[in-house]
Amino acid sequence: MTLSTASDHRLSTRQMAQFVANGFLRFDAIVPDDINRRAIEEIERLNAERLLPDGMKPPHSRTPLDECYPLPSAIGEYLRLPQIRGIIESMVGTDPVFDHDWVHYIPGGGTYVQPLHVDAVTDSPDPTFDVQLFWYPSAVAPGEGGTRFLPGSHLSRVRSSGLSRYQNIVGEQQVSCEAGSVFVFHHGLWHAGQPNPGANDRWLYKVRLNPTAPQVRQWNTDDLDEVQNPPSDHVFARMQPGSVAEIFRTWHPWMGITDYRNDQMQRARLWRYLSGDDEFDVDYYLSRLEGRADLIGNDA
């Protein structure tokens, strides 16, 4: 079964390029209040019962998304919202499968803190990725300790436990949002749950989805020709205003000059996969290497 209701709500090329540059997108108050209210009771039950012999259970891993949480279910309604399906289809195609989900609950005044981590013990060097949707069915006020994350960290290959000693990194953000907001993370984005010094309980429902087909041009590509730059687009030569390359020049505060330029190359490689354009480049880094490699018959 495919996510046929998603077509009119798919992301734009600019949004996909922002996801590649930053590793996340946020959608404020995208889930209706009625679903948010009913979901808290359901995810509370899932949180309490998932490990009990006869309790509420999540789907099995590799379950097609359309078969997860059949109605009536507030989680199922959320996963079937056309706006959510549009995001999912843009990232992982029309036939994703369920990897896992988890409920993160921190009561008001809760002091539990999660170390900074990525959701993969090991990872492959290819550009494919999973998507993780973080849904906050209740509001998170500034200072109430929502998930912290580091924009632009998703393409840095690290071991999960190797991040736990980092407490503050320049440029990191901490979630505060209205009820019904959804943050969409590349699976490699560095993140951590935080204590809740506020008076209100904090709920988060996270679901991870795997693609089952190449993630090539799954979004709404109506604006692709307008913003796709040629491989000659180069900050030290000529640039196309408003292009994908311009978005890929986003420089995150934690990056030194070498980190920044290496990350631009990783963004270009990921965009080649997503756009199906094997010659795409930003600031000529890949093209320069490939041009020289051709002289001796090697790939860059």
Side-chain angles (χ1 to χ4, degrees):
M1 186 179 293
T2 61
L3 306 181
S4 56
T5 59
S7 298
D8 294 337
H9 296 276
R10 291 174 298 166
L11 303 177
S12 68
T13 300
R14 292 180 192 277
Q15 288 175 302
M16 288 298 296
Q18 289 164 355
F19 178 79
V20 169
N22 302 317
F24 78 100
L25 292 173
R26 68 177 289 167
F27 299 88
D28 291 293
I30 193 174
V31 181
D33 287 341
D34 174 58
I35 298 178
N36 292 323
R37 285 193 295 269
R38 287 184 285 114
I40 291 176
E41 181 178 347
E42 187 171 323
I43 65 176
E44 183 176 9
R45 182 184 167 205
L46 178 63
N47 187 48
E49 298 182 3
R50 72 160 60 218
L51 300 179
L52 299 179
D54 301 317
M56 181 180 179
K57 294 289 187 295
H60 292 284
S61 294
R62 303 297 295 177
T63 300
L65 179 59
D66 279 331
E67 298 176 15
C68 295
Y69 295 104
L71 303 178
S73 159
I75 297 174
E77 288 182 57
Y78 155 67
L79 293 173
R80 289 166 176 78
L81 284 172
Q83 295 87 345
I84 299 300
R85 289 296 175 97
I87 296 168
I88 293 171
E89 179 177 333
S90 300
M91 297 285 178
V92 290
T94 58
D95 297 298
V97 294
F98 179 90
D99 184 304
H100 76 281
D101 63 7
W102 201 257
V103 176
H104 293 267
Y105 166 63
I106 306 292
T111 58
Y112 171 75
V113 59
Q114 194 178 40
L116 191 65
H117 65 282
V118 293
D119 287 338
V121 175
T122 59
D123 212 343
S124 61
D126 63 70
T128 63
F129 63 91
D130 298 334
V131 70
Q132 301 200 111
L133 277 67
F134 291 64
W135 171 28
Y136 298 84
S138 55
V140 181
E144 289 191 350
T147 310
R148 71 178 172 115
F149 61 96
L150 187 65
S153 59
H154 55 300
L155 300 179
S156 301
R157 304 294 182 186
V158 295
R159 292 187 304 166
S160 179
S161 60
L163 298 172
S164 59
R165 61 194 173 97
Y166 295 106
Q167 302 303 314
N168 294 285
I169 299 177
V170 62
E172 71 179 25
Q173 297 185 20
Q174 199 155 330
V175 170
S176 62
C177 61
E178 301 173 71
S181 296
V182 174
F183 285 67
V184 183
F185 282 12
H186 183 288
H187 75 263
L189 196 71
W190 304 3
H191 65 280
Q194 295 298 284
N196 180 8
N200 301 311
D201 292 350
R202 194 175 75 226
W203 291 96
L204 162 62
Y205 172 81
K206 184 194 83 172
V207 62
R208 179 169 179 161
L209 302 170
N210 313 142
T212 60
Q215 297 156 280
V216 180
R217 300 194 182 197
Q218 299 288 347
W219 67 93
N220 184 337
T221 58
D222 288 351
D223 61 342
L224 179 60
D225 291 342
E226 176 188 350
V227 300
Q228 185 83 339
N229 53 272
S232 61
D233 201 276
H234 191 184
V235 70
F236 293 119
R238 295 193 181 191
M239 296 182 289
Q240 174 182 318
S243 68
V244 171
E246 185 174 275
I247 296 172
F248 285 1
R249 293 190 182 99
T250 301
W251 193 331
H252 296 288
W254 61 271
M255 293 177 168
I257 182 66
T258 302
D259 296 322
Y260 170 63
R261 289 176 171 169
N262 283 336
D263 206 73
Q264 281 186 292
M265 296 172 69
Q266 296 304 318
R267 296 171 193 174
R269 289 189 173 107
L270 177 52
W271 194 251
R272 285 183 176 189
Y273 167 60
L274 289 171
S275 68
D277 180 355
D278 293 336
E279 296 184 348
F280 176 84
D281 204 359
V282 51
D283 290 344
Y284 206 56
Y285 292 116
L286 297 178
S287 301
R288 180 186 295 122
L289 296 178
E290 290 164 345
R292 291 210 307 263
D294 285 345
L295 301 178
I296 56 174
N298 292 333
D299 295 331

